[in-house]
Each structure stands twice: as structure tokens, then as C-alpha cells.
Amino acid sequence: MDIKTIITFGQLKESGYKSKSIKDELRNNLIDKIQKKEIPFSGIHGYENTVIPELERAILSRHNINLLGLRGQAKTRLARQMVNLLDEWIPIVSGSEINDDPFYPISRYAINLIKEKGNDTPIEWLHRKDRFSEKLATPDVTVADIIGDVDPIKAANLKLSYADDRVIHYGMIPRANRCIFVINELPDLQARIQVALFNILQEGDIQIRGFKLRLPLDIQFVFTANPEDYTNRGSIVTPLKDRIGSQILTHYPETIEIAKTITEQEARLDPRQSDLVYVPNLAKDLLEQISFQARESEFIDHKSGISARMSITAYENLLSAAEYRALKSGDSNTILRLSDFMGIIPAITGKVELVYEGEQEGAASVAHSLITDSIKTLFVDYFPKIEKLERENDQNPYQKLIDWFFEESGFELLDDVSDAEYVQKLNEIKPLNELIEKYQTDIDQKDQYFIKEFLLWGLVEFKKLSKYRLSEGFRFKDLYGDYISGL
């Protein structure tokens, strides 16, 4: 039967519709998806064996939920995807401000309407996409915003005294009756506002001015918060925390592969960028390693966290840097270069909170260090490790390359050269070609030039070569060449 043909309470009764609470809806539909081997939460990577099973158990337990974690850990996305576990349509009393269930009305309006019209009470159907409400907790949020207040205009229009409960204007929470209601960054909510949530979670009572209303609201609450110990802005008051059924800890991606999947999924790219710029796999690994490096850096406040959005925006900047270079040189397509990573510094500086030592270094300097430290970290995955101290008889696999730079006056890779010139310049370094052929035998032809540049930058980080930033590119030299020629 088409539900749109059911427009009165009497027709709803005849259809055999059974009313249920929102927590039962979520529970029943989750059970159905699990039994059908369907994925309830899609597009969220790295949580398959940690966060999502805990969230599903909390839903089966009919709990209100607190998602606790640092920024950029998909907390809000998890909450929004819970909407997919709701029934597609539910009936409400037509005209109700708080989505009254015709079988269990709680507002004075709905109770009086059903009492007056009985089976002829008009009903409407509410789609699940309209059953999600969200509020960012900020210090200026008031009880009136989330619970409600007396509306003097309504009192004047209806010619009612302030003692009549019909003059109440409901806040966001009562209006989210039979919905999922999310409060983001709960510790930022003032303690007195958090106190106002006590009875709503426990008893369904709400206090507005002089009224004490008994409204057994049917709401699935989801809270998100940074760990209490990590925030200077506030905390969750203990009695409220006690009334939240499940607290689930979120986390950052645990591997570079998971991080790459998230970045590629979330990055907003113009199709022309994807067609124009070829991105080697090593470049993607390097981009993600920067975030991993930042989470361990002594210059960055770990309590603040490094959002996954840093990698996403950095990836967008990276492709734009390559695109900009190709447009200026007139190339119809281009391979990403390691020097293009200098273009992601603005994406990093806007996403990290520096400690005192980091402020002294400067945000741009810290961002540059993250890039070079990431090169050093990944270097040993591709080429032989360089020891700080080498024994006299040890064979240095990089000696020929170092000697080549000793004999050259200076090798420059300029930013605005065409791809053809870039390839030609790197091919001139014969020992570089030999190292790639020996240690990267399975490398894709299109990736080899990025790896050649990566090898040069790596040798700089291990103090085997020197690198100077020119106004229009980079110059690589032997580490002691200038000193010896001066003598």
C-alpha cells in the first residue's frame, strides 16, 4: 500500500502500522543489515575492526552515544550515516512542531487535535533525511536555543497569558523529537547548558522558565567531543557523562594505505587536473607520511591533533602546483615533481597548532621540515640505508653519484622548465640512472623521474649532498665542493 494515500489517523490504524521508538528503529534496521551482510557505514576507512563494531553494539544496546576523538576523525560523518538505519517514512500529526507520533502524542497541540478529530486527525509523512538535527556547541548557546523559551509574540497573537504552556516556543531538542540529534564539541557547551540535558536524557522532563513540562521525547542523542584531558576549553560535566550509554574512541588512520584511500576519496579535484597531472605512487605515500610525521613532531601540539583534512587539502594543493607549472611551461600533461611539494606548505601551516618551540621556528619552516623528514623516513624503503658512520672498507653504493656532483659545478632543477627539459636534466646524471636500475627494477617508467628526484633529496637529508633554494628552483651540489674550491 502506498503510504502517501494514508492521510488520516483512522487510515493509519487500518493499515496495521505499528509505532516504535527511534532507538528500536535503529536497532531493528541494523539487525536486518547485519543479517543481509550489508555494510551499514560506508566510505569510512580504517574503522572496520575498531570504531564501527563498537558503534553497532551501542546501537543494538539502544544507547545514547559519545564519539570521543581528535579533530578530523570522521565523528560527524559516522553520526550522519546513522540516518540510513532509520525507517524511510514515519507518520506525524499534521502541523505538529515536535513530530508527534499519532499513537503517542506528547504536545498539547497534538493531544487536543486527536481528542477533537479522532480518526479524522490529519497526518503527514516524514522522510528519514529530514530526521537529523545538528548543533555545534559554542559558548554563546543558550537554554532557549536548545530547550525553548516563552514567546511573547505568540502570547500576544493568541491572547494568552504567560502562564499558558501554549506560549512556549520549542528549542532545537524538542523539535528533534523522533530524530537523531547531534551536539558537536560537547565540552564547549557551558556547564549550565549541559545540566539542562540531564533530565532530557533520563526522564524526558524539560524546564522552560516557570513551566515544568513532562515531554517524554524520543531522541537518539549523539555527542562528539575531543578527549577531556586534551582540551583547554571545557569538559563534559560528570552527571551528564554518566547518562551517556556508550563512549566510543575514534582514531587516525593506522597505515599509509588507509590514509591514501581516505585522501583520494575526499579530495575535490577538477577532472582536468586528474587528466593533466600524473601522480606517482611514491608521491601519494610521501604526502600521507607528512601527516604521520606531524603527529610525532616536537614542534606541533599533539593534543590538538592533525586532521585528515590536512592531507586532503595538501593533495589538492599538490595537484594545483603541478597544474600551475604545466600551464606556465605550456605542457599538455605533466608528471608530478618533488619540488611541487613546496606548494603544499600553505595547506600544512593552516592545519597545525604549534607549541612554543614551533612558533620560534616559524610555521613555514616547520612545514618544510615535515616534508624533508618524511623523505628521510621513506628513503630506506626504496634505497640502501645510509649509516652515520661508515667503516673504511664499506662499499658506499652512492659514491659514484656523489663523485659526479663533486666534478660538476652545480646541477639545477628549475621550477618552470618543461617536462622534456626536466627529463633530460635528470637523464644527464648517469650514476643516478644506474642506482634506479639496480634498486628499483620494477618501477613504472612514468614514476622513475620522481624517484630520481626523491633520491637526490634523500641524499641531501642524509648529508651526502647539499641543496640550495634559488628564486626559480633548486641547485644540488657536492657537500664539500664549495669549501675545497675555495681552498
Side-chain angles (χ1 to χ4, degrees):
M1 184 178 184
D2 184 5
I3 60 170
K4 294 299 179 68
T5 62
I6 301 174
I7 57 174
T8 66
F9 189 25
Q11 291 174 329
L12 185 65
K13 289 177 181 176
E14 291 173 7
S15 72
Y17 178 86
K18 300 293 183 186
S19 180
K20 54 182 176 286
S21 72
I22 185 170
K23 288 184 169 68
D24 283 331
E25 275 184 63
L26 292 165
R27 173 182 161 80
N28 294 346
N29 292 328
L30 176 59
I31 290 171
D32 186 54
K33 282 186 177 290
I34 292 173
Q35 290 176 337
K36 291 179 179 177
K37 309 296 183 187
E38 295 178 4
I39 300 173
F41 298 92
S42 60
I44 299 174
H45 306 282
Y47 284 176
E48 294 83 357
N49 300 313
T50 53
V51 176
I52 289 177
E54 291 186 358
L55 180 57
E56 290 175 345
R57 287 193 285 267
I59 292 170
L60 292 175
S61 301
R62 301 185 186 88
H63 284 173
N64 292 312
I65 298 163
N66 183 27
L67 297 171
L68 192 67
L70 297 174
R71 56 183 173 152
Q73 293 185 350
K75 300 187 294 294
T76 305
R77 173 168 290 195
L78 283 168
R80 287 175 179 164
Q81 288 208 10
M82 286 175 64
V83 170
N84 298 326
L85 294 174
L86 296 172
D87 292 345
E88 186 174 8
W89 297 94
I90 60 165
I92 63 171
V93 175
S94 186
S96 168
E97 291 181 273
I98 61 172
N99 304 324
D100 277 288
D101 184 340
F103 291 97
Y104 304 102
I106 58 175
S107 73
R108 180 164 172 174
Y109 164 82
I111 292 169
N112 289 346
L113 187 63
I114 291 173
K115 191 173 182 180
E116 176 190 342
K117 297 197 172 183
N119 286 340
D120 292 329
T121 302
I123 67 165
E124 299 172 4
W125 291 89
L126 187 67
H127 194 263
R128 61 183 165 212
K129 67 179 176 59
D130 298 316
R131 297 175 63 195
F132 180 88
S133 294
E134 187 176 1
K135 179 64 179 171
L136 175 63
T138 54
D140 63 332
V141 173
T142 66
V143 174
D145 292 333
I146 62 171
I147 307 297
D149 204 351
V150 170
D151 185 348
I153 296 174
K154 187 184 285 188
N157 288 340
L158 298 176
K159 296 183 172 59
L160 297 171
S161 76
Y162 285 179
D164 194 310
D165 62 7
R166 285 174 291 178
V167 304
I168 291 173
H169 175 79
Y170 291 113
M172 292 186 71
I173 290 179
R175 289 176 183 275
N177 185 39
R178 304 175 72 199
C179 300
I180 297 171
F181 189 79
V182 178
I183 298 182
N184 283 313
E185 307 302 340
L186 181 60
D188 286 354
L189 207 59
Q190 293 183 54
R192 64 187 181 84
I193 312 297
Q194 293 186 36
V195 169
L197 297 174
F198 287 178
N199 279 356
I200 294 178
L201 266 65
Q202 193 71 30
E203 305 293 342
D205 289 339
I206 60 175
Q207 189 83 34
I208 299 175
R209 300 287 181 175
F211 302 100
K212 184 179 181 183
L213 299 177
R214 178 72 174 157
L215 285 181
L217 297 169
D218 181 24
I219 298 176
Q220 171 65 56
F221 281 99
V222 180
F223 305 100
T224 73
N226 284 335
E228 275 188 292
D229 296 339
Y230 298 165
T231 177
N232 298 320
R233 298 171 298 188
S235 61
I236 305 172
V237 296
T238 305
L240 177 59
K241 189 193 293 185
D242 186 51
R243 287 166 168 79
I244 299 172
S246 290
Q247 179 169 280
I248 298 168
L249 299 178
T250 57
H251 56 81
Y252 287 122
E254 294 173 341
T255 66
I256 284 181
E257 287 304 316
I258 293 172
K260 283 194 317 191
T261 303
I262 294 169
T263 299
E264 290 181 17
Q265 173 183 286
E266 299 300 320
R268 294 173 295 180
L269 304 175
D270 188 310
R272 288 172 293 182
Q273 284 181 316
S274 302
D275 295 337
L276 176 67
V277 184
Y278 172 75
V279 185
N281 196 54
L282 172 56
K284 296 176 182 177
D285 288 350
L286 180 59
L287 183 83
E288 301 303 337
Q289 182 62 37
I290 292 168
S291 292
F292 281 76
Q293 211 76 33
R295 291 175 191 135
E296 298 176 0
S297 172
E298 61 182 347
F299 298 122
I300 293 172
D301 185 1
H302 300 158
K303 297 176 181 179
S304 174
I306 301 297
S307 168
R309 284 182 283 272
M310 188 176 91
S311 293
I312 295 164
T313 54
Y315 187 64
E316 293 164 351
N317 260 20
L318 185 61
L319 265 71
S320 295
E323 179 187 33
Y324 179 72
R325 170 177 50 74
L327 291 171
K328 292 190 72 175
S329 65
D331 287 325
S332 58
N333 52 62
T334 186
I335 297 172
L336 191 82
R337 302 176 192 173
L338 209 156
S339 54
D340 293 328
F341 272 78
M342 296 300 102
I344 73 171
I345 288 177
I348 298 174
T349 55
K351 294 286 191 298
V352 296
E353 297 287 336
L354 302 178
V355 295
Y356 177 75
E357 292 82 0
E359 297 285 359
Q360 296 297 105
E361 288 286 324
S365 177
V366 170
H368 187 273
S369 296
L370 291 175
I371 296 170
T372 55
D373 288 348
S374 298
I375 292 170
K376 193 172 182 179
T377 300
L378 291 184
F379 186 87
V380 293
D381 294 336
Y382 290 83
F383 297 102
K385 187 176 181 182
I386 299 176
E387 302 291 348
K388 287 185 178 179
L389 297 175
E390 295 175 348
R391 290 189 294 270
E392 193 173 330
N393 296 328
D394 284 351
Q395 290 291 323
N396 183 352
Y398 306 106
Q399 194 58 50
K400 278 189 179 181
L401 181 58
I402 295 167
D403 291 343
W404 189 93
F405 278 95
F406 180 77
E407 293 164 6
E408 291 289 320
S409 59
F411 173 82
E412 293 179 357
L413 279 178
L414 303 183
D415 296 337
D416 57 357
V417 297
S418 67
D419 266 32
E421 293 174 274
Y422 172 75
V423 167
Q424 181 186 351
K425 290 286 287 182
L426 287 172
N427 283 339
E428 289 174 1
I429 311 175
K430 300 302 181 185
L432 190 58
N433 299 331
E434 293 171 11
L435 283 167
I436 298 297
E437 288 172 7
K438 182 174 181 179
Y439 295 108
Q440 292 298 320
T441 53
D442 299 327
I443 194 70
D444 189 290
Q445 180 72 17
K446 293 178 75 175
D447 288 14
Q448 67 169 306
Y449 294 101
F450 183 87
I451 289 199
K452 284 181 179 181
E453 196 178 355
F454 173 80
L455 176 53
L456 294 180
W457 283 60
L459 290 177
V460 170
E461 293 312 305
F462 283 100
K463 304 292 188 290
K464 296 298 181 182
L465 294 176
S466 61
K467 173 171 62 69
Y468 304 94
R469 176 63 187 173
L470 308 173
S471 59
E472 66 279 9
F474 289 96
R475 174 181 292 159
F476 293 87
K477 299 188 73 173
D478 167 67
L479 195 61
Y480 304 110
D482 283 346
Y483 175 72
I484 293 173
S485 62
L487 292 175

